[in-house]
Amino acid sequence: MDKRLPNFRHMDAEQGKIYGKYNVVKSINPYKCYFIAHYPNGKKIRGRNLFNTGWSELLDGITLLQYHLSTGHVINIPKFKAYLALVEVSEGLDGSRIFHALNIKGMGNNEVINYKIILKQDYYSKHKIGDIIISKDKKLIQSSHWKFSA
């Protein structure tokens, strides 16, 4: 049996499974997950995929931010003063990657709200693909990739 992770490009959400000795990990297809940023003039900018998101090409003035997962989940992120998207991924020794979560940070008045969108599930995790974990952080992250809302 081949121990390497398969290439995700030709898979759908159901085929994105990794079988281990005691566990089965079901993962999204990173090539079919993207964001859509909506603007006041009706313009929409669509991201690429999780390998090359296209986040740095977004403009300020976002009115609505959505994430579309390969499983069909559409997640609407509430409106914040600014957004910062980070991808949580681990890389294997053979160069394969497992995408764990999307961390979308929203800048509030005196805090940062973290929306963590789960991208994989297994027997040992209580969370499923598409679940959202919300947390707060008092510390603001210094980054030039914050995208401000309208």
Side-chain angles (χ1 to χ4, degrees):
M1 180 180 214
D2 191 6
K3 297 287 184 183
R4 291 179 299 156
L5 293 177
N7 186 348
F8 282 106
R9 189 172 294 276
H10 303 293
M11 294 182 157
D12 60 10
E14 292 303 317
Q15 293 174 329
K17 291 185 178 180
I18 302 165
Y19 293 94
K21 188 171 183 179
Y22 301 107
N23 197 3
V24 175
V25 177
K26 182 180 174 188
S27 177
I28 50 90
N29 184 339
Y31 286 100
K32 296 181 181 177
C33 294
Y34 55 90
F35 65 82
I36 295 180
H38 299 260
Y39 291 92
N41 59 0
K43 183 178 179 182
K44 296 178 185 178
I45 296 180
R46 182 183 185 269
R48 293 188 194 98
N49 56 47
L50 294 182
F51 290 104
N52 183 10
T53 62
W55 184 260
S56 59
E57 298 165 8
L58 279 182
L59 306 171
D60 289 334
I62 298 171
T63 57
L64 176 65
L65 182 63
Q66 295 178 320
Y67 273 87
H68 293 254
L69 304 183
S70 64
T71 56
H73 292 88
V74 177
I75 293 124
N76 293 323
I77 306 299
K79 188 169 182 176
F80 293 107
K81 291 181 180 179
Y83 302 96
L84 179 63
L86 305 168
V87 179
E88 189 177 318
V89 63
S90 60
E91 190 167 346
L93 295 175
D94 59 349
S96 60
R97 295 179 182 169
I98 296 178
F99 291 84
H100 300 282
L102 286 168
N103 291 309
I104 293 84
K105 299 188 179 297
M107 187 185 300
N109 290 333
N110 296 323
E111 60 196 6
V112 175
I113 308 295
N114 186 22
Y115 269 70
K116 185 175 188 176
I117 303 169
I118 304 299
L119 300 177
K120 72 167 187 69
Q121 67 188 37
D122 58 17
Y123 294 148
Y124 301 117
S125 175
K126 61 183 176 182
H127 302 293
K128 305 244 184 272
I129 293 174
D131 285 353
I132 299 171
I133 302 168
I134 302 171
S135 60
K136 292 182 180 182
D137 194 6
K138 295 284 184 187
K139 186 172 59 173
L140 182 65
I141 295 175
Q142 298 296 324
S143 175
S144 62
H145 294 288
W146 283 97
K147 302 300 176 185
F148 291 92
S149 61

